[in-house]
Amino acid sequence: MAMPKKGSRPITVDGIAFRWRVSHRPTYSADKSWSPLTFAVERAEGPGSVLVVSLPCARPDNWSGERTIAIRPVLVAGCIRRALEQGWKSGRPGPTFTLTVTEDELASFLGEAPQYLIPFLWGMIPEGGGIKDLPRCTQIWSRDTPPTDQAPSDP
């Protein structure tokens, strides 16, 4: 089964052209962070078997604030190479090939420790970060502490 072309991104790995994409619509369980972030890869010309890569984090649009990452080309290329090493036949029709990436493999594919993001209201913050990490953020004041630009109201 071929993956949709709309929304896919091109990548060339070791002289072979591929397309990859993250699904635009999560399943209900993926949206609730019950399943991992996944992306699909296939050959750009004469597609054969589809590769589905499962990452050790949630989708960026998950509802529960589970950590996620931005999928970068270096990660996609590393996953394609690993799948080919493990027997994925990208040029031949066949069943979907699944590659499950562990936390340690993720770091080796990226060449550095993953930089996780946490979904927060209308943006993303780095794992361990705070409100100062959201450039568009408006601080919400506590009811106990009035904003400094307003006079306290009389009770």
Side-chain angles (χ1 to χ4, degrees), residues 10 21 50 73 94 103 120:
R21 77 186 296 268
V50 174
E103 194 85 28
F120 179 77

Side-chain angles (χ1 to χ4, degrees), residues 19-143:
R19 297 182 306 114
W20 67 276
R21 77 186 296 268
V22 175
S23 172
H24 290 285
R25 285 189 220 144
T27 62
Y28 179 74
S29 63
D31 195 29
K32 298 292 282 178
S33 76
W34 295 331
S35 61
L37 173 59
T38 60
F39 64 92
V41 180
E42 74 176 1
R43 277 203 161 172
E45 298 298 321
S49 174
V50 174
L51 167 65
V52 175
V53 178
S54 176
L55 300 173
C57 52
R59 287 181 53 91
D61 54 1
N62 74 83
W63 293 354
S64 60
E66 296 290 325
R67 68 185 187 170
T68 188
I69 61 169
I71 299 177
R72 300 186 340 223
V74 67
L75 174 59
V76 175
C79 291
I80 290 170
R81 287 185 183 105
R82 177 64 51 88
L84 291 169
E85 290 169 6
Q86 292 182 1
W88 176 43
K89 306 294 184 208
S90 65
R92 293 188 198 157
T96 299
F97 189 91
T98 303
L99 177 69
T100 302
V101 176
T102 66
E103 194 85 28
D104 292 336
E105 289 173 321
L106 187 60
S108 72
F109 292 150
L110 293 170
E112 61 186 12
Q115 301 199 356
Y116 290 107
L117 301 168
I118 309 294
F120 179 77
L121 296 176
W122 57 88
M124 296 279 185
I125 58 174
E127 185 175 41
I131 208 162
K132 68 184 181 323
D133 298 306
L134 284 174
R136 298 183 322 228
C137 183
T138 302
Q139 187 168 0
I140 301 170
W141 294 95
S142 157
R143 290 183 184 187

